[in-house]
Amino acid sequence: MSRVEPRSRREMLKTSGAVSGASISQKFIFFLLVAFTWMILSPTAFLYAGPVDDGKKLHNHFCAQCHGESGKGDGVNEEFMDPPAKDFTDTVDKVYFATVTNKQIFDVIFNGGKYTPKVNTFMPTFGISLSEYEIWAMVAYVRTLHPNEAPPIDFSGLSKERPKINIKQISVGEISKQERKEGKKAVKKYGCRGCHKIGKKKKGAESGGLLNGIKEKLSPQEIFSKIKDPRSVMKDSKNEDSKMAAAKINDEDALLITKYLLTLK
């Protein structure tokens, strides 16, 4: 019987190195395949990962309460949306977002529902709340939620400065029945119940909280200021990131809404 000589340490290390090298190569190839697949399935996210990440954060903060974190239009305010919030994924409703341009999506976010035909009037006017960059970042994120052939977005030179809203000083005297009535109409006109519970029956969504008794928390000027620009009332650091966006409400209507809210207990 022939004798099998034990392998030398050098041979063992050489073989071990070859196996290890093969293992690393396999892992590297697997990583490339995963990365390539991700690029194919989500080209938008690959092209501008930074803006997409920013857009996702903005979506989750401002939009998810109506559109849902998944973008399917199933947010906590869903039952109060008529028409319902759009489905960004093009899977729940008929295909829509794949048929529109990047600019069209930008315009809807910028102008809000009240100023855009066939869009829910409860949608805020983000053009006076967010910067040009932030709105385009939201467009970039929305594009990752549905298949599309939209061209890349050019983020060069976009302003990251948020608009400033001028707020006048108001004086609230005795509130008449007519002013209360007109203020209630303005609440309906601007879709305040899309996020807030308001009035004797406390009708409305819950994401923005109950506005009855708000006069116990804020002064008339602060209520008016918050209606005009939610970031303006800085009771604490959290208000800077208020989920409420400015709704492009004119001074006259903002004052009427303020007066109406002051009558609620």
Side-chain angles (χ1 to χ4, degrees):
M1 181 180 293
S2 61
R3 180 183 177 187
V4 178
E5 294 290 339
R7 291 186 298 171
S8 68
R9 178 177 176 80
R10 179 178 295 180
E11 290 176 327
M12 292 176 68
L13 289 174
K14 189 174 181 181
T15 304
S16 175
V19 173
S20 177
S23 178
I24 293 173
S25 296
Q26 289 174 350
K27 289 180 179 179
F28 182 69
I29 292 172
F30 176 76
F31 171 78
L32 287 178
L33 288 173
V34 170
F36 180 73
T37 302
W38 179 71
M39 287 165 57
I40 295 298
L41 295 178
S42 186
T44 304
F46 174 74
L47 287 171
Y48 25 81
V52 165
D53 187 54
D54 292 337
K56 182 178 181 179
K57 291 175 182 176
L58 290 164
H59 165 84
N60 290 341
H61 187 77
F62 290 106
C63 312
Q65 52 194 325
C66 295
H67 291 278
E69 288 195 10
S70 65
K72 293 183 177 181
D74 56 356
V76 295
N77 296 338
E78 177 185 13
E79 64 179 292
F80 300 97
M81 302 288 100
D82 184 22
K86 287 288 187 182
D87 164 34
F88 293 147
T89 66
D90 278 350
T91 59
V92 178
D93 302 323
K94 62 181 181 179
V95 174
Y96 171 76
F97 281 94
T99 67
V100 299
T101 66
N102 291 336
K103 184 62 166 58
Q104 286 176 307
I105 298 175
F106 176 93
D107 288 342
V108 171
I109 299 173
F110 186 92
N111 294 314
K114 188 175 183 302
Y115 303 92
T116 306
K118 299 182 181 180
V119 175
N120 194 298
T121 57
F122 291 166
M123 182 175 171
T125 308
F126 287 100
I128 57 175
S129 297
L130 301 178
S131 69
E132 184 184 20
Y133 167 83
E134 287 175 313
I135 296 177
W136 276 115
M138 292 170 78
V139 175
Y141 174 66
V142 167
R143 281 305 195 195
T144 68
L145 301 179
H146 57 267
N148 65 88
E149 298 180 359
I153 297 170
D154 183 6
F155 284 89
S156 60
L158 295 181
S159 172
K160 293 187 177 183
E161 183 178 353
R162 289 184 173 182
K164 293 180 180 179
I165 300 174
N166 295 321
I167 301 173
K168 74 172 189 178
Q169 294 299 303
I170 63 168
S171 176
V172 179
E174 186 177 349
I175 303 170
S176 68
K177 289 184 179 180
Q178 184 62 29
E179 287 176 321
R180 187 181 188 281
K181 183 178 179 180
E182 292 300 319
K184 187 176 182 179
K185 287 182 179 179
V187 162
K188 183 178 181 179
K189 175 183 177 181
Y190 292 98
C192 301
R193 286 191 173 88
C195 293
H196 298 280
K197 288 186 177 296
I198 309 171
K200 290 182 179 180
K201 295 183 180 180
K202 300 178 181 178
K203 287 185 177 181
E206 297 183 358
S207 66
L210 176 68
L211 295 186
N212 294 16
I214 194 173
K215 64 182 179 181
E216 304 299 329
K217 301 176 183 179
L218 301 174
S219 69
Q221 180 64 55
E222 287 174 326
I223 295 173
F224 177 84
S225 298
K226 193 167 181 66
I227 292 170
K228 292 291 293 182
D229 182 5
R231 299 164 297 175
S232 64
V233 180
M234 301 297 292
K235 283 292 185 182
D236 54 59
S237 60
K238 291 183 180 180
N239 277 331
E240 188 173 7
D241 294 317
S242 171
K243 290 185 177 182
M244 179 178 171
K248 203 173 183 180
I249 301 176
N250 62 55
D251 288 347
E252 181 181 359
D253 285 345
L255 182 57
L256 287 170
I257 293 173
T258 298
K259 290 182 176 181
Y260 171 64
L261 295 179
L262 288 171
T263 67
L264 301 178
K265 298 179 180 179

